[in-house]
Amino acid sequence: MIARPFLLRRLLELKLIDESAVAALEHDGIVTLADLELALAERRSRVAAPEFARAATALAQEPRPLTLGRAWDIVTALISAIESHCPLVQSAEASGSVRRAEPLVSAIVITGRAVDPARAVDQIAALPLASEILSRAARRLVLLFQGHEIDVRLAAPDEYGTLLFTTTGPASHVAEVIARRGPRLAASETDVYAHAGLAFLPAETRGTRDALARAASRSVPELVDRLHIRGDLHMHTSYSDGRDSLRQMVHAARMLGYEYIAITDHSEHAGASRTLTLDDLARQRDEIMRIREEVRDMTILHGIEVDILPDGSLDCPDKVLAALDIVLASLHEREGHDGARLTRRSVNAIRHPLVSVITHPGNQLVGRRPAYDMDYAAIYAAAAETHTLLEVDGAPSHLDLSGERAAEAIAAGVTLVIDSDCHKAPALDRQMRMGVGTARRGWVEPRHVLNTRSLSEVRAFLARKRAR
Ligand SMILES: [Zn+2]
Ligand SMILES: [Zn+2]
């Protein structure tokens, strides 16, 4: 059997096309599901038959989509291989749904810039890591890498903006932008949008309902960026279910240039594999005091991630919480409660004077469980009124609040915090980036996010609620 990209293999198996049609599709550059979706959105004639639209919908569900975290790791590994072994590729980056920070990724696309794209493709094809080439064209390679199909696309620098734009998607957005004034090859995405009479749109916003309207009216704000983030207020250590020691987490955070962090291990009754007893918490406080002596250029706040118990109370006595710098509360266990009861538990915690942050407020588990079906408007209103922060959690299993909910929360006047919820030192930056990407999907700006501010502003915000 000839190795083929997933799309062509499945279309053949479904008997939607025969071998001669495969050649025709390849000739048109339709070899991945993303190509088919774009061709359908642009109403290209070859795929006009309705069965292609039905196949695209069905196939989109088929390949077990990867989490953003897994896709991120695969992309990072392949890009670093390209950067070290393919000097003809000037730069390479993630495109497609990874670039849009979608929680589930159905297709991995990498785009690269090369003065001579055809020769650069030869270099990538020769990488020992690429176990199998599934499809090959002058500026493109579909290959298997770590068992996953990856679409590698190259363009000359003066056409790169168009390639990056079209591969980033989503298909409906690409088709709408191109339909305005026709296609044009451009060096940058800014030029692609300018040609269409639009302001540049950050990749993460392109799938949102109001994206085109904002671009047309030129009301695209500066969104929060990784470089705005001055600290990380949610991470775990080996005191609870984190892999690395407190000291390792502190030093890794310091290497990222953070001005402050909070250590927030799990309270005793959390379902985590290891949790903190009150004795552990006291030992942890002492260790933090010792490390503060060594690390003078970054402030270490001592916090906790406390469970919101079935009756809405917290899994830790108030007098212990009052001695901590920051208190995160989370609704880990549903306990069979319906949305109304979960909402009451959450609002109860929000109204608790010692709770600073509600972490992963909907407790989504990406690909496994949707966010709780709560009355989010009531949660936003209570959070805004009491100066309680709602979190955009960057752990790839959570990514919660979602971009959509983050947009609702800021519209309701809530201040957000973006955290890594990291359980191992090497992932601190990656998870913060995924949190930032998720917030950007909700048009979140630096002014909406507490941890873009200085330590004294952070402390003042936290003190304000306690003083109420
Ligand atoms: Zn949690
Ligand atoms: Zn956590």
Side-chain angles (χ1 to χ4, degrees):
M1 198 190 91
I2 316 166
R4 287 209 161 91
F6 166 80
L7 174 79
L8 301 180
R9 204 173 66 231
R10 289 296 288 136
L11 289 177
L12 278 168
E13 283 165 7
L14 294 168
K15 302 205 175 354
L16 275 168
I17 55 172
D18 56 19
E19 287 291 344
S20 65
V22 168
L25 286 174
E26 280 190 301
H27 177 266
D28 288 354
I30 299 173
V31 295
T32 69
L33 188 55
D35 298 332
L36 178 60
E37 286 169 348
L38 186 57
L40 287 166
E42 291 180 334
R43 300 194 173 80
R44 271 188 247 147
S45 57
R46 176 99 62 185
V47 295
E51 54 264 35
F52 277 109
R54 282 200 296 275
T57 311
L59 296 187
Q61 320 298 328
E62 258 193 42
R64 223 183 111 82
L66 295 161
T67 62
L68 180 60
R70 180 75 186 109
W72 190 291
D73 291 343
I74 294 168
V75 162
T76 307
L78 184 54
I79 287 177
S80 95
I82 290 173
E83 281 171 348
S84 38
H85 299 291
C86 307
L88 290 174
V89 181
Q90 295 172 343
S91 63
E93 63 189 305
S95 187
S97 43
V98 171
R99 184 164 180 245
R100 298 201 316 274
E102 295 236 358
L104 285 173
V105 173
S106 52
I108 300 183
V109 190
I110 290 174
T111 54
R113 220 187 244 107
V115 174
D116 185 344
R119 283 187 54 222
V121 162
D122 291 339
Q123 269 187 346
I124 297 170
L127 277 177
L129 300 158
S131 55
E132 199 158 13
I133 307 290
L134 302 176
S135 174
R136 186 170 176 165
R139 297 174 163 221
R140 174 179 208 176
L141 215 47
V142 179
L143 51 83
L144 274 183
F145 177 75
Q146 297 185 359
H148 295 277
E149 180 174 315
I150 306 194
D151 189 10
V152 182
R153 310 280 298 264
L154 295 171
D158 56 350
E159 302 176 356
Y160 183 72
T162 300
L163 174 68
L164 183 60
F165 168 72
T166 49
T167 54
T168 296
S172 56
H173 176 77
V174 172
E176 279 171 350
V177 170
I178 290 176
R180 288 171 66 95
R181 291 189 194 155
R184 184 162 77 179
L185 294 175
S188 74
E189 284 190 312
T190 307
D191 293 344
V192 171
Y193 281 99
H195 172 67
L198 298 168
F200 171 81
L201 282 167
E204 298 90 341
T205 66
R206 292 179 195 172
T208 61
R209 229 179 322 108
D210 48 348
L212 267 190
R214 291 212 197 203
S217 63
R218 310 206 155 263
S219 49
V220 179
E222 188 200 8
L223 302 185
V224 63
D225 187 87
R226 171 65 185 83
L227 294 173
H228 295 127
I229 300 294
R230 296 166 76 164
D232 186 345
L233 298 174
H234 183 175
M235 67 185 69
H236 298 273
T237 72
S238 50
Y239 275 91
S240 73
D241 61 348
R243 187 193 73 181
D244 294 327
S245 69
L246 172 50
R247 181 171 260 104
Q248 285 169 313
M249 294 303 281
V250 165
H251 285 284
R254 193 170 156 265
M255 293 302 286
L256 298 177
Y258 286 148
E259 295 167 36
Y260 48 86
I261 59 165
I263 300 294
T264 56
D265 277 306
H266 288 288
S267 66
E268 203 161 355
H269 295 101
S273 54
R274 266 194 322 261
T275 59
L276 280 176
T277 63
L278 294 183
D279 281 350
D280 294 332
L281 196 66
R283 271 197 306 121
Q284 187 175 56
R285 181 199 58 216
D286 295 344
E287 187 177 353
I288 287 176
M289 289 203 297
R290 284 196 302 277
I291 297 178
R292 279 176 184 152
E293 296 296 310
E294 298 162 26
V295 177
R296 303 221 171 235
D297 51 359
M298 183 179 76
T299 299
I300 307 163
L301 302 177
H302 190 198
I304 190 169
E305 179 178 1
V306 67
D307 266 49
I308 303 170
L309 296 173
D311 65 356
S313 67
L314 302 177
D315 180 23
C316 194
D318 282 359
K319 75 171 191 321
V320 177
L321 296 180
L324 294 166
D325 300 308
I326 184 168
V327 173
L328 281 49
S330 56
L331 213 48
H332 282 135
E333 301 300 330
R334 184 173 189 127
E335 310 278 1
H337 291 169
D338 64 8
R341 213 154 150 208
L342 290 168
T343 305
R344 280 203 299 281
R345 279 169 71 188
S346 181
V347 169
N348 241 325
I350 290 169
R351 296 208 173 278
H352 192 295
L354 292 168
V355 169
S356 328
V357 181
I358 302 293
T359 63
H360 45 75
N363 206 27
Q364 157 173 261
L365 282 181
V366 171
R368 289 192 284 152
R369 183 179 71 208
Y372 293 150
D373 49 344
M374 297 184 290
D375 178 357
Y376 285 88
I379 290 170
Y380 305 146
E385 183 200 322
T386 57
H387 305 294
T388 306
L389 297 148
L390 297 185
E391 186 191 56
V392 176
D393 185 308
S397 58
H398 278 312
L399 302 178
D400 179 344
L401 297 172
S402 66
E404 214 171 313
R405 291 232 158 90
E408 294 168 359
I410 58 175
V414 172
T415 303
L416 301 175
V417 59
I418 304 174
D419 292 325
S420 71
D421 190 3
C422 193
H423 289 68
K424 51 182 189 224
L428 273 168
D429 187 51
R430 158 184 178 270
Q431 292 189 193
M432 181 59 81
R433 286 177 189 274
M434 286 187 249
V436 169
T438 302
R440 288 167 65 88
R441 290 167 65 81
W443 300 92
V444 172
E445 303 168 40
R447 66 190 169 98
H448 300 126
V449 179
L450 184 74
N451 52 326
T452 62
R453 303 179 196 165
S454 69
L455 176 66
S456 57
E457 288 169 289
V458 170
R459 284 197 197 274
F461 190 98
L462 300 176
R464 191 167 163 192
K465 178 173 181 185
R466 290 189 175 196
R468 270 165 61 95

